[in-house]
Every structure is written in structure tokens, then in C-alpha cells.
């Protein structure tokens, strides 16, 4: 079911992702696309309304037509895929959990056009401003690759395990979340750090510590804010210039997020719910019948595609 951008302006939050008047906390009217294996990461091609979903344990990449609700094709990996990113007509999948990994670059028909060697355990990729940034968790390193030549331009060792990368196109920076463990009088606590890396040079410009390990980070270009989620106490909205938290929203077990860059609305998953974060930082939760693993929003249709048990929920 599609909701177009002009309808959003008039009908408001309740129609952002789904039609009908659905009250907070009530089940959403949904449809499901059945998959043989449970998808753990999902991304959407906004141009042709297709989704690409990987199943890490079963080493498979699906391409799905969201309009017809049909699986178009699939690809089997030799090693575990960790995430999937779509930019234009390219699909980026880093693979390899315990060994030296690679990033596979596919065309939109799931033909591999390039495979680039990386460090151990590449987990996350972001594309923008002519570069591809990849976080290699077990090497404490971010690889930066030219989007044109597909050659590695430089690497940055941040001294911690990077788990998410996002390219800030406005500031020409890579924003990296990383985890750390520290001992306290009550045992071991886990926090995190954000690194802000100059994209052209690879120099670390700024860092800021976070009280909790960051589950996901997304940049909202419309509101010019960074959305940070953590599993302890929810969502923080950060000003990327001052590195201060402008808003905090309580959401236990907050998971991964995605942002519709045309409306400024974000979707954050938590156990058995999809939570809509509005541009003015109010939160509307809607219940799901299956535990979600990832979410992606189509920029043009305002439709959320949710990776869940053996299915994509729409």
C-alpha cells in the first residue's frame, strides 16, 4: 500500500507508512512476503521499489519486488553477509565474520561487478560524496574506497571496534560508532564512542563518548541531526555541530533505524513494534506480530519494509 508525499502533508503521521487510522500501540494492517530464510538486514532501491535482504546465517541475498510482493532472484555467498546497502543501481554487501572479509558490489540484477578485499569482519557500509566507507569490526579499522575507481583510498585505525558507519554528505565526514568495554566497581560496563573522520583526508576531527553502546546510527539530512539508538534506554538525537544531545526519547531495547530523507520521519524497531519518530521528535509505536530485525523506508512511497522471521513485512 503506497502513501505518496503530498498525502503525507495533509494526512499526518497516521498515514506516514500505512493507510487508515491506526492508533498508537495497535497492530498495523500489514502484508507479508514469505522468504525461505529469515532476513537479518534489508535495504530499498527507491528508484524501482525493490528490496534487497540478506540472511546472515544462511548466506543468501534476496531481491524482492515490493509492488508485486514477489522474490525476483537470489544469490548464495560462500561466507556470511553482514549487512546490505543500496545506492543508485549498486548493491553493497560486506561478507566475512571471523576471517578477512570483502565487500561485494552488485548491479541491480544481482550480478557481481566488483569484489574488494578488506580487513577482518566488515559489518557496515555507507556510500556518499564519491566514497564507500566500510567498518571492519575485528580490525578496529574503517576502509575508505573510491566510488569511481573502486580502489581503496586509505584506512583509519580508530583503536576500537567500529560497528556502524554513515557518511555525512553536508559536512563531508564519516561518522563511526564504536564500542568499548571498561571495568567499574560493579563489574564490566560497556559504552561507546563516536568518531568524526574527514572524508577527503581520513583525519579524525572529533570524538565524543556515549554512555551506552550504540545499536545503530542514522543521519537525518532534513533536520540535520544524528539519530542514535541503544538497547538500554532508547533514542538520542544529536546535534552534529555541537555534539550535544538535543532530544532523548525513552524506548527500551531500541534497535536499528532508518530515515525518510524527504520527510524527516524515522522508523526505529524494538521487540514486536515499529516506532515512528516524527521530525519534531515525538514517538508513535505500532505493534507487530513478529520480531523485527531491520527496517528500510522507500523514499518515494513512504513504505516501510521490515525484515522479520522468514518474511518481509510491508
Amino acid at each position: 500500500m503506497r502513501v505518496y508525499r503530498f498525502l503525507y502533508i495533509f494526512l499526518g503521521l497516521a498515514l506516514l507508512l500505512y493507510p487508515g487510522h491506526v492508533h498508537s500501540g495497535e497492530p498495523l494492517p500489514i502484508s507479508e512476503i514469505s522468504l525461505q530464510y529469515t532476513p537479518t538486514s534489508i535495504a530499498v532501491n527507491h528508484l524501482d521499489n525493490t528490496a534487497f535482504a540478506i540472511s546472515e546465517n544462511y548466506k543468501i541475498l534476496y531481491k524482492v519486488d515490493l509492488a508485486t510482493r514477489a522474490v525476483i532472484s537470489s544469490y548464495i555467498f560462500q561466507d556470511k553477509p553482514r549487512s546490505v546497502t543500496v545506492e543508485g543501481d549498486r548493491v553493497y554487501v560486506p561478507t566475512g565474520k571471523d576471517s578477512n572479509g570483502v565487500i561485494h558490489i552488485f548491479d541491480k540484477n544481482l550480478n557481481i561487478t566488483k569484489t574488494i578485499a578488506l580487513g577482518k569482519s566488515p559489518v557496515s557500509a555507507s556510500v556518499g560524496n564519491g566514497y564507500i566507507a566500510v567498518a571492519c569490526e575485528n580490525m578496529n579499522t574503517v576502509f575508505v574506497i573510491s566510488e569511481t575507481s573502486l580502489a581503496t583510498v586509505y584506512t583509519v585505525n580508530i583503536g576500537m571496534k567500529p560497528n556502524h558507519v554513515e557518511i555525512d554528505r553536508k559536512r563531508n565526514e564519516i561518522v563511526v560508532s564504536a564500542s568499548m568495554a571498561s571495568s567499574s566497581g560493579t563489574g564490566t560496563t560497556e559504552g561507546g564512542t563516536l568518531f568524526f573522520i574527514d572524508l577527503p583526508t581520513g583525519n579524525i576531527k572529533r570524538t565524543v563518548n556515549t554512555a551506552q553502546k550504540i545499536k545503530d546510527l542514522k543521519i537525518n539530512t532534513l533536520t540535520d541531526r544524528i539519530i542514535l539508538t541503544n538497547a538500554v534506554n532508547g533514542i538520542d538525537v544529536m546535534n552534529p555541530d555541537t555534539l550535544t544531545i538535543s532530544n532523548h526519547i525513552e524506548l527500551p531495547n531500541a534497535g536499528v533505524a532508518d530515515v525518510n530523507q524527504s520527510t524527516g520521519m524515522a522508523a526505529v524497531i524494538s521487540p514486536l513494534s515499529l516506532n515512528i519518530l516524527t521530525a519534531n521528535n515525538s514517538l508513535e509505536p505500532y505493534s507487530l506480530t513478529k520480531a523485527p530485525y531491520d527496517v528500510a523506508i522507500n523514499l518515494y512511497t513512504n513504505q516501510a519494509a521490515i525484515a522479520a522471521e522468514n518474511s518481509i513485512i510491508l
Side-chain angles (χ1 to χ4, degrees):
M1 302 179 186
R2 300 181 177 180
V3 181
Y4 295 94
R5 291 176 59 187
F6 71 92
L7 289 178
Y8 159 76
I9 298 172
F10 295 101
L11 299 183
L13 175 64
L15 294 181
L16 169 66
L17 299 175
Y18 301 92
H21 296 283
V22 181
H23 298 288
S24 174
E26 291 187 356
L28 287 166
I30 59 175
S31 61
E32 292 188 21
I33 302 169
S34 296
L35 301 177
Q36 183 178 3
Y37 302 113
T38 296
T40 50
S41 178
I42 191 168
V44 170
N45 186 327
H46 309 290
L47 302 178
D48 61 6
N49 200 24
T50 55
F52 296 85
I54 59 114
S55 177
E56 181 174 339
N57 288 336
Y58 292 95
K59 304 178 184 179
I60 191 168
L61 169 65
Y62 293 105
K63 179 182 179 180
V64 178
D65 188 319
L66 297 179
T68 63
R69 313 292 199 258
V71 176
I72 300 172
S73 57
S74 61
Y75 180 90
I76 303 295
F77 297 96
Q78 293 184 342
D79 211 340
K80 288 186 175 183
R82 306 302 305 280
S83 62
V84 58
T85 301
V86 175
E87 181 67 26
D89 285 335
R90 283 178 173 175
V91 182
Y92 302 84
V93 182
T95 68
K97 188 168 185 178
D98 301 315
S99 60
N100 284 335
V102 301
I103 187 166
H104 297 291
I105 303 175
F106 296 83
D107 64 20
K108 65 179 182 179
N109 297 315
L110 292 194
N111 300 306
I112 290 182
T113 60
K114 184 74 172 181
T115 297
I116 303 169
L118 300 169
K120 291 183 179 180
S121 194
V123 293
S124 172
S126 181
V127 184
N129 290 11
Y131 294 92
I132 307 160
V134 187
C136 288
E137 189 175 40
N138 290 341
M139 200 177 175
N140 297 346
T141 299
V142 177
F143 280 70
V144 178
I145 300 161
S146 167
E147 192 179 0
T148 303
S149 68
L150 299 180
T152 299
V153 181
Y154 59 81
T155 62
V156 182
N157 190 312
I158 62 172
M160 298 172 62
K161 291 180 179 294
N163 42 45
H164 295 285
V165 290
E166 284 286 318
I167 291 178
D168 184 338
R169 302 186 186 207
K170 177 181 177 180
R171 292 167 184 80
N172 214 22
E173 293 178 336
I174 309 168
V175 185
V176 185
S177 67
S179 61
M180 61 181 178
S182 60
S183 296
S184 68
T186 57
T188 299
T189 59
E190 193 169 25
T193 300
L194 288 177
F195 293 83
F196 296 81
I197 300 170
D198 183 64
L199 189 53
T201 65
N203 295 325
I204 298 175
K205 298 164 61 176
R206 302 171 291 162
T207 62
V208 61
N209 292 332
T210 59
Q212 308 296 338
K213 180 181 177 180
I214 297 166
K215 180 69 174 179
D216 197 11
L217 77 91
K218 288 292 185 295
I219 295 173
N220 190 328
T221 57
L222 192 69
T223 63
D224 197 24
R225 290 294 184 267
I226 301 172
I227 297 173
L228 305 170
T229 66
N230 71 78
V232 177
N233 60 6
I235 306 167
D236 287 320
V237 181
M238 176 179 283
N239 183 317
D241 292 320
T242 64
L243 303 185
T244 56
I245 302 301
S246 56
N247 294 92
H248 173 76
I249 301 96
E250 288 290 329
L251 180 64
N253 296 308
V256 296
D258 197 23
V259 178
N260 187 327
Q261 303 294 354
S262 68
T263 66
M265 312 291 280
V268 183
I269 61 172
S270 60
L272 293 179
S273 68
L274 174 69
N275 307 275
I276 306 304
L277 181 66
T278 68
N280 63 1
N281 297 313
S282 63
L283 195 67
E284 291 286 342
Y286 299 98
S287 63
L288 299 170
T289 58
K290 293 182 177 181
Y293 294 96
D294 196 8
V295 60
I297 303 175
N298 188 305
L299 181 69
Y300 298 120
T301 66
N302 272 335
Q303 184 181 58
I306 304 165
E309 183 181 356
N310 292 102
S311 64
I312 295 173
I313 300 174
L314 300 174

